[in-house]
Amino acid sequence: MNQPMIFSAASLQPAPRNAQPAIRNLALDGLRGIAVLAVLVYHFWPAILPGGFLGVDLFFTLSGFLITGGLLRSMEGGRFPDLRSFWLRRARRLLPAMILVLVGSTALALIAVEHLPAGLRWQWVGAVTYTSNWMQISHGNSYFSSMEPAYFQHFWSLAVEEQFYFLWPMMLWAMFVLLHRRGALLWAILVLAATSAASMAWGFDASTDSSMLYFGTWTHGFGLLLGAAGAVACAEQRAVLHGGSEQARKLVQSLQILTFSCVLVAFAVIPDTSAAAYQGGMALFCVLATALILTLGRPGTWGYTLLSQKYLRWLGNRSYGLYLWHWPLLILAKTVFPPQAETAAILCVIPLTFAAAQLSWRFVEQPFLQRGFKLTLTGWANRIAGRSRQVWNGATGSFGAVISLLVLVMVPFCAVSVLLASPPESQLEQQLDLAQSVLEEQSKVQIVPEEDPQTTDDAQHDQPTRQQTKAEPASGEFTGLDITALGDSVMLASSQQMLKKLPGISIHASVGAQIWDAPTRLRELKKAGKLRKVVVLGLGTNGDLPDGTIDEIRGIIGAQRELLLITAYAPRQWISDVNDTLRAAADADSKTHIVDWAAAAPNIDDMARDHIHPGPHGSAAYGKLLVDTVRKL
């Protein structure tokens, strides 16, 4: 580890985009195939593979390893890396397929003309400048709980990688010159990786959305850095991992089985929003992925043979196109198909994704990789000119030329039309903004609460807030004037119906509200004298329910108040646990009751495309459920 920094051409596998076919590591192509499959399954069926998001971290680790290996070879003999050639190769590999997806999928959005994707213009800016991750952070987008995910949300990872490609060659050269020794360089990169992972762990807060940490270049850069460290360590470990002895082969086989098994288990068991994922889980996964990559440089081993299978290499070679195409096609299908036909939507998307990726690989990616920009674009221009002359001259059999020219013109035209028509906010976001405004106006007409000496509690019982206008009773003993409701965006979407069916109700609902924030909010309302006889909680959509939270809430509101718990409905893994806890609390206390939205929501026919937020009919059903429960108190 203290020898001079000399890297032989054979010591590292080349990056796939710089690859020489004779020395290409076929097993790494197969590993990319595993990574893209994990991401696809995670996005199509998140409940089946909750840790499939780690496929992106596997991509990061592979990229860091392969890119750094190529850069180190280019710096042999102390040479400064040829940055122009390096960045040109990156552009040839990344830009053509990305532009095809941007234009093509934007044009396809016309299929959902009544529900065009929102915010496309800023998403395009983020895509072409490779700043999508920071754009999404600035717009407050959530990767894990977005109401309506961005059409090009998945471009965040391309942005992180491209920012790495831009900065890393110069950083690596600086460390190369300053440290002089391979061991020192390895330790420097490991320190950077550890600092990146620590910044994610330190910044994690279970009570807030973690998308900023997930999207962040620095906080999520440890996979790229660990892969880079693996590239530096590769030459040092060749004697162990690439030696010819039977003992070395058995050691490599054992490491492959262990690390590959751990990678697969991580895909299956690490939830995307868990503390474990952020506080070391993702970083540990990247360590395992790096160890696996280091063992795959030896042909003939079990892992190399498995991952070199033709079908996995086929997936790996087309992984970029598969990744680019699957997300906008999935979002578009979920917009066009009704919520009840989600499975049909996914089954349509899968073959379309593979077909689009194959066409992109065959007609766009390979030509640019093999021939470069100038020759490929010149060839395309010549073919377009030839077909144009064929149509102009009315040549026999020119129908195909006419169709191809129309497509060439109409697709960009449709894309521009969609870009210009794309609203800044989705319909759901507009609905929630309007509801928030209505609630703010409603809160302004409330006056100082009246004292009611008839009402007592074992704690000081704060009285209901009255309004200037008298409300008709909803039913039975309690009216809207007796109810305080706390909720998340689902309640917010239904708030106008709640105000209509329970006039005078005090609603405190907001996007992203968490159930563990309820105790603090209830204490504030109680201290201000605004906590009424009936407390309604419509929370649980955005996160799991910490132990003891319901007991704490029950203690805050006192024994005499009625507590109504609205069950949560969302395609998220913690929902069933939250609802089980809510139902158990209602069974254990006569003053705690269930409003079973989870049972009613599957039958609603106008849910938003996120399958969480109700439309007008669903909002009416939400309000009716609450009224019916209040009537029974």
Side-chain angles (χ1 to χ4, degrees):
M1 293 293 287
N2 294 319
Q3 58 186 295
M5 196 179 303
I6 301 173
F7 297 93
S8 67
S11 66
L12 296 168
Q13 295 296 336
R17 296 153 187 150
N18 305 341
Q20 300 297 325
I23 58 173
R24 188 179 185 93
N25 188 332
L26 301 182
L28 298 188
D29 290 336
L31 193 57
R32 276 201 302 275
I34 295 289
V36 77
L37 276 180
V39 173
L40 294 182
V41 175
Y42 167 72
H43 284 154
F44 292 152
W45 299 289
I48 294 178
L49 203 67
F53 70 99
L54 292 169
V56 171
D57 292 273
L58 183 52
F59 277 126
F60 283 172
T61 308
L62 280 163
S63 293
F65 177 81
L66 294 164
I67 292 300
T68 303
L71 288 170
L72 290 173
R73 286 191 298 278
S74 72
M75 292 189 291
E76 287 179 359
R79 296 191 303 271
F80 186 78
D82 185 351
L83 296 181
R84 181 179 179 278
S85 297
F86 173 79
W87 288 328
L88 182 60
R89 287 192 297 270
R90 300 300 95 223
R92 286 166 56 186
R93 180 66 184 96
L94 300 175
L95 284 176
M98 185 193 75
I99 292 172
L100 175 65
V101 170
L102 283 173
V103 175
S105 55
T106 300
L108 281 174
L110 277 176
I111 296 173
V113 65
E114 295 184 359
H115 301 280
L116 290 179
L120 283 182
R121 290 185 291 278
W122 69 257
Q123 291 180 55
W124 265 67
V125 172
V128 298
T129 59
Y130 285 103
T131 57
S132 287
N133 59 328
W134 297 111
M135 283 284 192
Q136 294 189 53
I137 289 173
S138 67
H139 282 80
N141 281 31
S142 172
Y143 184 76
F144 302 106
S145 60
S146 177
M147 293 178 295
E148 295 198 9
Y151 200 49
F152 297 114
Q153 176 175 271
H154 62 317
F155 276 49
W156 76 269
S157 65
L158 306 184
V160 171
E161 285 204 40
E162 189 63 25
Q163 290 159 28
F164 174 78
Y165 297 154
F166 180 75
L167 296 172
W168 185 240
M170 294 173 284
M171 291 178 61
L172 185 64
W173 168 255
M175 290 189 292
F176 185 95
V177 171
L178 292 173
L179 299 176
H180 304 299
R181 299 280 178 176
R182 184 164 57 231
L185 177 62
L186 174 60
W187 280 108
I189 297 174
L190 287 174
V191 168
L192 288 175
T195 307
S196 171
S199 68
M200 173 179 275
W202 180 79
F204 178 77
D205 182 352
S207 65
T208 61
D209 190 281
S210 302
S211 295
M212 181 178 293
L213 299 174
Y214 193 74
F215 287 143
T217 306
W218 172 244
T219 52
H220 207 150
F222 47 82
L224 291 156
L225 292 166
L226 285 168
V232 176
C234 187
E236 186 71 16
Q237 298 190 30
R238 281 184 64 82
V240 175
L241 299 176
H242 304 276
S245 70
E246 182 63 19
Q247 183 179 3
R249 187 187 68 82
K250 289 181 178 180
L251 174 61
V252 171
Q253 297 257 82
S254 300
L255 287 172
Q256 285 176 348
I257 293 172
L258 175 62
T259 54
F260 189 62
S261 298
C262 290
V263 164
L264 296 182
V265 169
F267 286 150
V269 303
I270 297 182
D272 52 13
T273 55
S274 66
Y278 286 85
Q279 295 177 333
M282 281 186 260
L284 179 59
F285 175 87
C286 293
V287 171
L288 292 169
T290 302
L292 176 60
I293 291 168
L294 288 172
T295 70
L296 292 176
R298 177 171 179 152
T301 55
W302 171 85
Y304 187 96
T305 302
L306 173 66
L307 293 172
S308 298
Q309 295 298 312
K310 184 177 180 180
Y311 65 93
L312 283 177
R313 288 191 287 111
W314 189 94
L315 288 171
N317 289 332
R318 291 153 185 81
S319 59
Y320 185 48
L322 290 168
Y323 182 79
L324 286 176
W325 278 105
H326 85 282
W327 184 256
L329 290 177
L330 180 62
I331 295 296
L332 187 59
K334 287 187 174 182
T335 303
V336 173
F337 283 74
Q340 296 82 355
E342 180 179 4
T343 300
I346 292 172
L347 293 178
C348 287
V349 167
I350 292 173
L352 290 174
T353 298
F354 279 81
Q358 171 60 18
L359 292 172
S360 172
W361 173 255
R362 172 68 179 83
F363 296 107
V364 177
E365 296 172 60
Q366 279 195 310
F368 280 99
L369 283 171
Q370 295 172 0
R371 304 175 63 198
F373 283 107
K374 185 176 181 180
L375 289 177
T376 301
L377 293 175
T378 300
W380 286 3
N382 290 337
R383 283 196 292 273
I384 292 170
R387 295 200 174 192
S388 299
R389 287 193 297 269
Q390 184 181 358
V391 173
W392 181 262
N393 295 330
T396 303
S398 62
F399 178 76
V402 172
I403 296 299
S404 61
L405 289 174
L406 283 175
V407 170
L408 191 64
V409 172
M410 291 304 298
V411 169
F413 177 80
C414 292
V416 171
S417 300
V418 172
L419 276 177
L420 294 176
S422 173
E425 289 186 322
S426 67
Q427 292 182 357
L428 176 58
E429 290 170 331
Q430 294 173 27
Q431 174 189 348
L432 294 177
D433 287 345
L434 176 61
Q436 195 73 66
S437 298
V438 170
L439 290 185
E440 290 173 0
E441 289 298 319
Q442 183 251 2
S443 67
K444 292 178 182 178
V445 302
Q446 295 182 352
I447 61 174
V448 178
E450 301 174 359
E451 293 292 337
D452 185 357
Q454 305 271 336
T455 306
T456 59
D457 198 349
D458 50 0
Q460 183 179 354
H461 186 13
D462 304 299
Q463 305 306 317
T465 301
R466 301 293 176 182
Q467 293 190 339
Q468 293 174 335
T469 58
K470 184 178 179 180
E472 293 296 326
S475 59
E477 179 182 354
F478 295 109
T479 72
L481 292 170
D482 300 307
I483 302 172
T484 299
L486 273 66
D488 50 32
S489 56
V490 177
M491 180 181 285
L492 182 60
S494 307
S495 59
Q496 295 189 60
Q497 286 292 334
M498 293 170 64
L499 289 168
K500 179 180 178 181
K501 295 178 181 296
L502 292 164
I505 184 174
S506 176
I507 302 175
H508 307 268
S510 60
V511 175
Q514 300 278 7
I515 195 165
W516 51 71
D517 293 328
T520 300
R521 185 64 177 133
L522 288 170
R523 287 191 185 95
E524 293 172 353
L525 290 170
K526 187 174 183 179
K527 185 176 180 180
K530 296 180 179 180
L531 194 61
R532 303 180 178 183
K533 299 176 184 178
V534 179
V535 176
V536 179
L537 295 184
L539 297 161
T541 306
N542 298 313
D544 206 348
L545 180 61
D547 294 338
T549 302
I550 299 300
D551 291 337
E552 184 181 4
I553 289 170
R554 186 75 262 183
I556 294 168
I557 68 174
Q560 298 305 312
R561 287 189 173 91
E562 305 284 348
L563 176 62
L564 275 58
L565 303 173
I566 303 177
T567 55
Y569 177 76
R572 294 172 182 168
Q573 59 192 20
W574 59 80
I575 295 298
S576 61
D577 291 338
V578 167
N579 290 339
D580 288 345
T581 303
L582 297 181
R583 292 189 175 101
D587 291 340
D589 179 26
S590 62
K591 286 284 188 176
T592 303
H593 316 273
I594 287 293
V595 182
D596 208 349
W597 172 242
N603 301 316
I604 302 300
D605 60 0
D606 65 340
M607 298 292 284
R609 73 184 188 195
D610 63 0
H611 301 178
I612 298 174
H613 297 86
H617 296 148
S619 298
Y622 188 97
K624 185 176 184 302
L625 277 174
L626 182 57
V627 170
D628 291 344
T629 307
V630 170
R631 184 179 291 124
K632 297 175 184 177
L633 296 179

